[in-house]
Amino acid sequence: MAEGIPVATGAAFQSKYRRDALGDASSDQVAVCFFGDGASNNGQFFECLNMAALWKLPILYVVENNKWAIGMAHERATSQPEIYKKAQVFSMEGVEVDGMDVLAVRDVAQKAIARARAGEGPTLIEALTYRFRGHSLADPDELRNPDEKEFWGERDPITRFAHYLVEHNLATAEELKAIETQVQEGIDAAVKFAEESPEPDPQELYRYIFAED
């Protein structure tokens, strides 16, 4: 879905406008836009990257390249599978990173944020990752090779980071298990709340569309 790219680009523009046009020195916000590999073939992607590069907007465009756009293999859908290289067309910084490595992503993001705040413009980050399940409940996930899913499943970023924390004595297995339990309890409570809540009033459909007094 590429629809969020123009919205994020607008958010980055307001940050730069407040700083440069309105003289607000405290305006150092950096927008971060996440989207899938399929979105990088859409018109919004190219138009917004061009605009962001021209205006040196403070934004990170993060492509979560999970190899599949719903049921279409990425290599079959694009003439340039290495998405980060598309940044070159706009004289923009383009970076490829192991999206299954939490610390590698953090390092790349920190450098891109520093560049944006220094007025050096946007960065296109291609995070190589994988989607473990179907795209949605409507996706039976019949096209992907089981061996492919097994290969990527062994590189689960949460599991890898947990091992890193334990190996470097930053956390114990018991502490991580407690966090996992706490998270699951929060999810269960949210699901229970949703299932037990009354159906919303149809008039609620019109809320949050326009500004309200």
Side-chain angles (χ1 to χ4, degrees):
M1 302 291 285
E3 289 81 355
I5 300 178
V7 177
T9 303
F13 175 77
Q14 68 83 27
S15 180
K16 181 177 177 63
Y17 185 86
R18 283 172 52 196
R19 187 178 186 87
D20 295 351
L22 302 182
D24 183 357
S26 67
S27 181
D28 64 349
Q29 297 92 341
V30 177
V32 183
C33 181
F34 293 88
F35 49 94
D37 46 279
S40 68
N41 294 321
N42 290 13
Q44 297 102 315
F45 172 81
F46 298 98
E47 293 175 24
C48 289
L49 262 65
N50 180 63
M51 184 181 297
L54 282 172
W55 294 345
K56 293 190 179 300
L57 299 184
I59 183 169
L60 279 57
Y61 294 105
V62 184
V63 186
E64 298 173 308
N65 184 357
N66 60 32
K67 310 300 181 184
W68 290 85
I70 305 182
M72 173 60 74
H74 173 61
E75 287 75 11
R76 294 179 59 197
T78 181
S79 57
Q80 173 50 277
E82 295 177 287
I83 302 172
Y84 76 98
K85 291 184 177 180
K86 296 181 180 181
Q88 299 173 1
V89 178
F90 308 102
S91 298
M92 181 188 300
E93 185 78 10
V95 183
E96 182 183 78
V97 64
D98 180 1
M100 308 297 267
D101 185 333
V102 174
L103 296 179
V105 173
R106 178 176 181 267
D107 179 62
V108 166
Q110 286 181 322
K111 292 176 181 177
I113 291 171
R115 289 185 62 257
R117 286 183 170 151
E120 297 176 15
T123 301
L124 175 62
I125 299 173
E126 180 181 5
L128 301 179
T129 183
Y130 199 71
R131 168 167 45 82
F132 295 150
R133 300 182 181 180
H135 182 266
S136 66
L137 292 176
D139 179 10
D141 197 19
E142 298 173 338
L143 300 175
R144 298 190 297 171
N145 190 307
D147 293 337
E148 177 183 280
K149 290 191 283 187
E150 181 180 357
F151 168 80
W152 285 95
E154 293 174 352
R155 305 180 68 236
D156 184 300
I158 296 177
T159 302
R160 289 177 66 186
F161 188 54
H163 290 160
Y164 175 89
L165 293 175
V166 173
E167 290 172 1
H168 290 78
N169 297 317
L170 298 173
T172 65
E174 291 73 19
E175 290 173 330
L176 296 178
K177 183 61 179 178
I179 293 174
E180 184 179 337
T181 300
Q182 183 180 13
V183 170
Q184 188 60 53
E185 289 175 349
I187 294 173
D188 293 342
V191 171
K192 184 174 185 292
F193 172 80
E195 292 177 340
E196 295 179 352
S197 296
E199 291 292 330
D201 189 301
Q203 293 299 319
E204 293 291 307
L205 288 171
Y206 298 99
R207 293 191 65 192
Y208 309 115
I209 296 178
F210 301 103
E212 299 179 3
D213 294 332

